[in-house]
């Protein structure tokens, strides 16, 4: 045993509390599945639907700069030239047109699913699966199918 003469007042750093970061603020570059939303998502409330899909996949949400500029999601989730470069197993782009600055951050993903009501959007050309339609119809359908497949 070593006797130490340390008074509490000598300690300059003290651990008050260990705070675990919520999944929602985890680094998106680590996520295996990313559900990203763009201007086409239309409103902050609608991101709840994307979060639900990300949750069933145990992945993260993400977004285009338009989603960040509209303050629908935090800048930490921005994918692209001035955001994060991601390479998940599956990247699901919802209501994102596929501007070159966005593609720069996600085009090396293993598998890309694009959901867009405009079949001629650039993202639809680079996607492995292009789902043409309103995300409000397509995303709940995807959630239901994934849940069913899990059971
Ligand atoms: C220097 C510079 C750096 C940039 N850096 C980035 C960056 O890091 N990341 C980034 O993302 N962008 C970046 N941008 C911006 C980029 O050029 C685009 O403006 C942006 O990516 C567009 O975002 P979006 O695809 O969400 O929106 P939009 O281009 O407006 O596309 C919206 C899409 O949603 C579809 N849509 C609409 N309603 C629905 C619906 N109900 N259901 C399904 N689909 C629907 C539309 O058909 C459309 O394709 C940068 C630009 C510059 C100049």
């Amino acid at each position: 045993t070593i006797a130490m003469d340390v008074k509490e007042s000598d300690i300059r750093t003290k651990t008050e509390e260990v705070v675990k970061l919520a999944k929602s603020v985890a680094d998106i570059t680590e996520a295996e599945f990313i559900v990203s939303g763009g201007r086409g998502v239309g409103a902050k409330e609608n991101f709840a639907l994307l979060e639900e899909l990300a949750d069933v996949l145990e992945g993260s949400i993400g977004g285009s700069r338009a989603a960040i500029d509209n303050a629908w999601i935090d800048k930490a989730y921005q994918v692209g030239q001035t955001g994060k470069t991601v390479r998940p197993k599956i990247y699901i782009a919802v209501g994102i047109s596929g501007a070159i600055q966005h593609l720069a951050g996600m085009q090396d993903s293993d598998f890309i699913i694009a959901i867009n009501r405009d079949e001629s959007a650039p993202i639809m050309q680079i996607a492995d699966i292009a789902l043409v339609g309103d995300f409000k119809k397509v995303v709940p359908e995807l959630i239901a199918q994934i849940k069913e497949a899990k059971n």
Side-chain angles (χ1 to χ4, degrees):
T1 331
I2 301 165
M4 294 216 289
D5 186 18
V6 182
K7 292 189 286 296
E8 175 140 30
S9 60
D10 295 334
I11 303 169
R12 284 186 294 176
T13 309
K14 210 169 134 199
T15 305
E16 295 277 344
E17 195 186 350
V18 177
V19 181
K20 235 181 134 182
L21 288 181
K23 199 176 94 196
S24 58
V25 292
D27 183 1
I28 64 164
T29 63
E30 305 277 320
E32 293 194 338
F33 301 96
I34 296 176
V35 181
S36 240
R39 201 188 316 274
V41 171
K44 189 174 181 147
E45 308 85 81
N46 296 340
F47 259 87
L49 196 55
L50 275 58
E51 263 162 37
E52 197 183 335
L53 178 56
D55 277 351
V56 295
L57 292 168
E58 291 168 41
S60 171
I61 55 153
S64 70
R65 195 170 88 177
I68 278 82
D69 287 348
N70 280 304
W72 295 340
I73 56 166
D74 190 86
K75 168 91 179 153
Y77 299 105
Q78 185 180 325
V79 172
Q81 189 184 306
T82 44
K84 303 264 168 68
T85 299
V86 297
R87 213 189 149 172
K89 283 187 179 155
I90 300 182
Y91 186 89
I92 306 180
V94 184
I96 292 177
S97 64
I100 190 78
Q101 296 89 354
H102 187 78
L103 301 184
M106 48 63 73
Q107 62 195 355
D108 288 333
S109 300
D110 291 351
F111 198 85
I112 297 166
I113 301 174
I115 302 167
N116 201 302
R117 62 180 180 194
D118 174 10
E119 64 180 331
S120 67
I123 192 93
M124 303 296 256
Q125 318 307 312
I126 66 135
D128 295 286
I129 296 180
L131 298 171
V132 183
D134 186 334
F135 80 95
K136 285 186 181 169
K137 286 188 184 140
V138 178
V139 174
E141 184 60 33
L142 270 179
I143 293 168
Q145 289 194 17
I146 295 164
K147 280 185 175 167
E148 206 179 292
K150 274 183 157 184
N151 285 332

